[in-house]
Amino acid sequence: MTSTRRRLGTPTAHRAAGLAVAALVGLAAPGLTGPVAAAEPATVLPSSGPPPAAVLPSTTSSSYFDTPRDLSGCPYRTAPPAPVDESEVPLPGRTSPAPPPVPESLAGGDGLDGCEVVAPDGFDVPPAVTASAWMISDLDTGEIVAARDPHGRYRPASLIKTLLASVALDTLDADRIIEVTDADLEGAEGSLVGIGPGGKYSVDRLLRGLLMSSGNDAAVVLAHRMGGIDATLEAMNAHAAALGAQGTYAASVNGLDAPGMMSSAYDMSLIFRDAMSRPEFARIVGTEQSGFPGYPAGEGAGAPDPAAASAYTGPTVRPDGVVVNPGFVVSNDNQLLYNYPGAIGGKTGFTDDARHTFIGAAERDGRRLAVVLLDGTRVPEAPWQQAAALLDAGFATDDSVGRLGTGGPASPEDATENLASGPLGSVGQGSVGQGSVGQGSVGQGSAGQGSATVAGASALERVGPWTAVGVAGLVVLAGAALAVRSRR
């Protein structure tokens, strides 16, 4: 195992309002099959290299979201960057939790204790990668191929939903049917899949809405059915600690910024690897499209078959006068699935404080790699494209710089040796009856192909102009109606 060190360049949104915006866009765009979920924009700047790193202001200006951070001196060893809004102000009567202590011996290997790039000899870091922290790791062996600031603490945004999903799969029967009430939806804000009172959803469908469409409404429904938000957070943090995720503190079940929220590229790699050991999780994150029920349950609210779904027409009225929000099709918002040969899953994330976060995984010649990006930008390329470039670089080397689950006083030796064992093959590829909103078929994942070249056209470009118009309309309307940036 050889390595070298290098530096890379020196107000709350309401559920009702979110649903109204989604429904309005769905009605305005007849080519769509349901309420539109947040999606990666199709337009990408040329990959001529990232802008120079800078000390960023505490503001939500465009420069804040487009400029890499200066990591000189490893400033985020203890806590994430300062927030840019009031999302982490404690509620009255509460205080912010103290950050988890930084261990004297960090897990994963001796070379992972800094914030520079640590990589095998000959590993070339793609010039377009702007994330403050990233890690490439092997899902099956746990080997760490390369990383930057692996133990630096950043906000995970919706990547934390992978931890929630693991706890839910370990706690709830996937076939259990939940009839959702208004109380179940308390706390649902930001990115919503489109769950409503009176709807009947299996736990499996809720997990699809959680992971494919990053539904914050699915997150709170699951949490309320596992004993409440506080109890679920306690279970999530306990599970993270058991895995050896020493720098992680889940402060919200959906990834929205909250006092104390933090994780690291190392920890999220550990958490995702653990999640992928569950076949149900791996199947969902690898699914492109899926039917999702409407509400209230009954005639007209069933989940459609993605392969034969009609265009979404908005609410209808039953003969008995009940207004029904019909079932719709959701499409996975992870663009890697549609554009990277061999992609097998992942998760997207964004908040003002976290900026862009991303997990992507792919298989090539029987080898499965995952990449985590934290505190990233969309310049000069979208997060999924930056992840694709890192995956290419990872598959091009057989060396490693460490191993997940080894080292560190709180990490049991080889704690994850048996996690995610064995390639999953084609599990989860194609349409499997549930997903985030889209129309028709939007690409195939083709696991195991040899080439890793990213396809030129995004899924949004391939499903036609109405989808792009609908997503653009959602962004504009959400900005006006909710007065916050899209969060997922």
Side-chain angles (χ1 to χ4, degrees):
M1 182 175 73
T2 58
S3 65
T4 58
R5 286 178 171 273
R6 302 185 294 273
R7 276 194 189 277
L8 292 176
T10 61
T12 301
H14 296 292
R15 179 176 65 87
L19 290 174
V21 170
L24 180 57
V25 174
L27 291 171
L32 300 179
T33 53
V36 179
E40 295 285 359
T43 302
V44 177
L45 297 176
S47 130
S48 58
V55 177
L56 299 173
S58 292
T59 175
T60 52
S61 66
S62 60
S63 64
Y64 175 81
F65 294 104
D66 295 342
T67 308
R69 296 188 194 275
D70 184 352
L71 298 187
S72 299
C74 300
Y76 309 118
R77 174 61 62 91
T78 301
V84 297
D85 55 27
E86 297 182 354
S87 59
E88 297 195 14
V89 175
L91 295 173
R94 296 194 178 188
T95 58
S96 294
V102 178
E104 292 184 7
S105 176
L106 295 170
D110 294 339
L112 303 181
D113 58 351
C115 55
E116 301 101 346
V117 170
V118 56
D121 293 332
F123 181 96
D124 293 324
V125 179
V129 176
T130 58
S132 297
W134 53 263
M135 177 175 281
I136 308 167
S137 61
D138 191 304
L139 281 174
D140 298 304
T141 67
E143 290 179 319
I144 299 168
V145 177
R148 185 195 192 205
D149 200 10
H151 289 289
R153 293 174 175 182
Y154 301 89
R155 297 170 184 86
S158 283
L159 303 193
I160 208 68
K161 287 173 176 149
T162 61
L163 180 60
L164 172 63
S166 292
V167 171
L169 284 167
D170 292 347
T171 304
L172 303 172
D173 183 343
D175 295 325
R176 175 184 171 183
I177 301 298
I178 293 175
E179 183 169 0
V180 172
T181 66
D182 284 317
D184 289 321
L185 291 164
E186 183 179 350
E189 57 178 291
S191 174
L192 309 174
V193 63
I195 296 169
K200 292 183 178 181
Y201 310 87
S202 68
V203 169
D204 179 77
R205 289 193 187 274
L206 291 173
L207 288 169
R208 290 175 183 268
L210 176 81
L211 297 169
M212 296 174 65
S213 194
S214 207
N216 294 343
D217 43 359
V220 297
V221 170
L222 288 167
H224 285 305
R225 292 307 178 103
M226 289 192 291
I229 302 294
D230 290 343
T232 300
L233 286 172
E234 183 177 348
M236 291 169 64
N237 285 311
H239 188 68
L243 292 175
Q246 299 168 304
T248 294
Y249 179 77
S252 70
V253 296
N254 48 29
L256 292 182
D257 300 320
M261 175 71 90
M262 68 182 67
S263 190
S264 68
Y266 177 91
D267 286 4
M268 286 309 311
S269 298
L270 201 64
I271 289 167
F272 182 71
R273 183 175 183 237
D274 168 64
M276 285 291 283
S277 70
R278 295 163 178 78
E280 301 92 338
F281 179 95
R283 183 185 70 250
I284 291 171
V285 295
T287 297
E288 293 178 4
Q289 288 191 307
S290 181
F292 203 83
Y295 62 92
E299 182 181 354
D305 178 356
S310 302
Y312 184 78
T313 58
T316 60
V317 181
R318 291 179 187 161
D320 59 3
V322 174
V323 176
V324 177
N325 295 272
F328 53 91
V329 174
V330 291
S331 302
N332 201 311
D333 62 11
N334 176 10
Q335 293 296 303
L336 198 73
L337 276 180
Y338 313 110
N339 295 295
Y340 191 87
I344 57 175
K347 185 72 191 74
T348 62
F350 174 82
T351 70
D352 286 354
D353 289 341
R355 303 202 297 176
H356 292 280
T357 65
F358 188 82
I359 297 175
E363 179 183 349
R364 188 183 302 174
D365 298 329
R367 186 185 184 196
R368 299 190 306 159
L369 297 182
V371 59
V372 171
L373 297 93
L374 297 179
D375 192 49
T377 77
R378 292 188 56 82
V379 176
E381 292 185 342
W384 73 265
Q385 291 176 303
Q386 297 184 35
L390 285 169
L391 285 169
D392 280 346
F395 281 121
T397 182
D398 294 326
D399 293 330
S400 62
V401 297
R403 189 165 183 264
L404 294 172
T406 60
S411 300
E413 184 72 10
D414 296 336
T416 57
E417 180 177 2
N418 298 315
L419 293 183
S421 58
L424 293 171
S426 59
V427 172
Q429 298 296 328
S431 299
V432 189
Q434 208 162 317
S436 138
V437 183
Q439 180 188 9
S441 177
V442 278
Q444 299 300 323
S446 33
Q449 296 185 16
S451 172
T453 303
V454 178
S458 73
L460 287 176
E461 290 170 326
R462 290 201 295 271
V463 297
W466 269 117
T467 303
V469 170
V471 172
L474 175 61
V475 172
V476 173
L477 289 170
L482 307 180
V484 294
R485 288 181 66 98
S486 172
R487 299 182 174 191
R488 32 170 218 222

